[in-house]
Amino acid sequence: MAGQAMARARSLTEFQEAFPDEATCAAFLFEQRWPGGFVCPGCGKGRAAALTSRAYTYECSDCGRQTSITAGTALHHTKLPLTALFWAAHLMSTHSNGMSARQLEDQLGLTYRTAWLLTQKLRRSMVDPDRAPLEGVVEVDQAEIPFRAGDTFFDPGNAGKILIAGTVEVIDRDPGQAKPRRKGAKYLDTLSGRIRLAMIADNSVASIEAFVRANVKPGTTLLTDGHAAYLIISAVRRAVNKKGAALR
């Protein structure tokens, strides 16, 4: 019943009506973890008792192992009520433009630190661990984003910087697929495909190479700005700069 309510709910108000209290949220998590009834992850037996000393935790009657219904999820090891966690997950997953920690703070009445930590957990949990790496033709670049906190917002000279690396698949508008072209070819009538973004420690060859290897399939054609990192990535077939000249 709760699963059907989650599927139907669209606005935050509707979602809050579907999950109004701790008991409803806990029941939903139990159903998702053990749809056929409790199964101990240690011994595989099905007898357990709910602990009164630890919220949402069951103790196996056979081996004594204790298992929380939030174990292995972004909701684990937090002091927030389940309702706040559920509502935060709903906001994060339904806003097409994303949800910042500041917005989550305002929407749910959290402290900024709590909202920030929660957004980090939820964003990591939304990443598909089995997603396929980018392939075909992929453009790679780096960017610096000013990072200002406190009074430094009014003093650009003292602002720090965050380094971001990004990749995007280059899709031919016709026939709608990413396909490497011959040396020197231009990529003009194209669309953007899948993307990958990550913060990198520095602008070094090691950092950029690690990012590319983690997100791009071997044999892919890279469109780059000629940074030295792209010259030594042996896992890719070739790399070309934005003018189409081969990098050696």
Side-chain angles (χ1 to χ4, degrees):
M1 187 67 180
Q4 296 175 353
M6 177 173 278
R8 290 197 308 269
R10 296 190 180 277
S11 70
L12 179 59
T13 300
E14 291 174 322
F15 190 84
Q16 289 174 329
E17 290 175 351
F19 296 93
D21 51 43
E22 298 294 286
T24 306
C25 296
F28 175 81
L29 290 176
F30 186 97
E31 180 185 350
Q32 296 302 304
R33 181 174 288 276
W34 301 299
F38 176 84
V39 176
C40 177
C43 67
K45 300 296 180 60
R47 297 187 306 152
L51 298 181
T52 57
S53 57
R54 297 179 61 186
Y56 322 121
T57 301
Y58 291 81
E59 182 173 280
C60 177
S61 300
D62 290 277
C63 69
R65 175 165 176 166
Q66 297 179 356
T67 306
S68 169
I69 59 175
T70 61
T73 74
L75 311 182
H76 201 42
H77 292 311
T78 177
K79 296 180 180 180
L80 289 174
L82 291 178
T83 49
L85 296 170
F86 269 51
W87 301 344
H90 174 77
L91 290 169
M92 290 282 291
S93 61
T94 56
H95 278 236
S96 58
N97 293 328
M99 174 68 62
S100 70
R102 186 70 68 188
Q103 290 173 309
L104 207 60
E105 173 191 15
D106 295 338
Q107 288 280 349
L108 299 179
L110 306 174
T111 65
Y112 178 76
R113 176 178 173 79
T114 298
W116 186 87
L117 291 172
L118 185 53
T119 55
Q120 298 304 303
K121 287 185 176 182
L122 291 173
R123 285 168 184 158
R124 285 194 295 269
S125 69
M126 292 168 69
V127 175
D128 182 359
D130 299 320
R131 63 181 181 176
L134 306 189
E135 59 183 326
V137 179
V138 173
E139 184 163 355
V140 189
D141 209 346
Q142 310 92 251
E144 294 182 347
I145 301 177
F147 179 77
R148 303 171 186 173
D151 295 337
T152 60
F153 183 85
F154 302 100
D155 187 3
N158 290 328
K161 293 180 180 179
I162 296 176
L163 295 175
I164 301 295
T167 61
V168 58
E169 285 180 331
V170 179
I171 307 297
D172 281 340
R173 192 179 296 272
D174 184 23
Q177 297 179 344
K179 184 179 180 181
R181 300 187 181 185
R182 67 184 184 279
K183 177 181 175 181
K186 304 298 182 181
Y187 294 83
L188 299 177
D189 192 16
T190 60
L191 299 170
S192 296
R194 297 177 298 160
I195 66 171
R196 299 285 187 269
L197 294 172
M199 185 174 69
I200 55 178
D202 50 45
N203 207 26
S204 67
V205 170
S207 292
I208 297 174
E209 182 182 5
F211 169 76
V212 172
R213 289 185 183 278
N215 294 282
V216 179
K217 184 178 180 179
T220 294
T221 296
L222 297 182
L223 300 180
T224 77
D225 59 5
H227 190 284
Y230 308 118
L231 297 175
I232 65 172
I233 302 176
S234 59
V236 297
R237 184 176 69 241
R238 64 190 178 93
V240 297
N241 64 19
K242 292 179 181 177
K243 295 182 180 179
L247 292 175
R248 300 183 183 280

